Amino acid sequence: MIVIARGNGKNGLISGLADYFISPGHGIEGYNVDVVANSEDQAETSVKEVYNMKEKNKNFMKTFFSWTKTKITGYY
């Protein structure tokens, strides 16, 4: 269990970890990540962060992932 106070980067941490867990680098095929939060807006934050990062680095990321605004999938 990790406890982090308000404003200290919880979403950034979760976004990075979730992206790694679905990547081929993690090495577990079919690994699923679900984000649970108190509101839909909060839950969408991590997905939006990872989506935006992939959009900014499309040429490299398209080799390892497919993504839409609602679902991100790692290739194996």
Side-chain angles (χ1 to χ4, degrees), residues 14-15 17-23 26 30-36 46-47 72:
I14 291 167
S15 299
L17 288 173
D19 193 35
Y20 169 72
F21 288 144
I22 65 167
S23 76
H26 186 230
Y31 198 90
N32 292 318
V33 174
D34 294 312
V35 178
V36 179
S46 290
V47 177
I72 301 169

Side-chain angles (χ1 to χ4, degrees), residues 18-62:
D19 193 35
Y20 169 72
F21 288 144
I22 65 167
S23 76
H26 186 230
I28 299 176
E29 189 173 342
Y31 198 90
N32 292 318
V33 174
D34 294 312
V35 178
V36 179
N38 291 329
S39 71
E40 187 174 350
D41 286 341
Q42 287 177 333
E44 289 176 345
T45 300
S46 290
V47 177
K48 287 178 184 176
E49 287 176 348
V50 174
Y51 173 87
N52 290 337
M53 184 272 299
K54 296 203 181 315
E55 281 294 306
K56 289 179 185 175
N57 300 287
K58 254 185 207 182
N59 291 332
F60 178 73
M61 290 294 170
K62 67 183 178 186

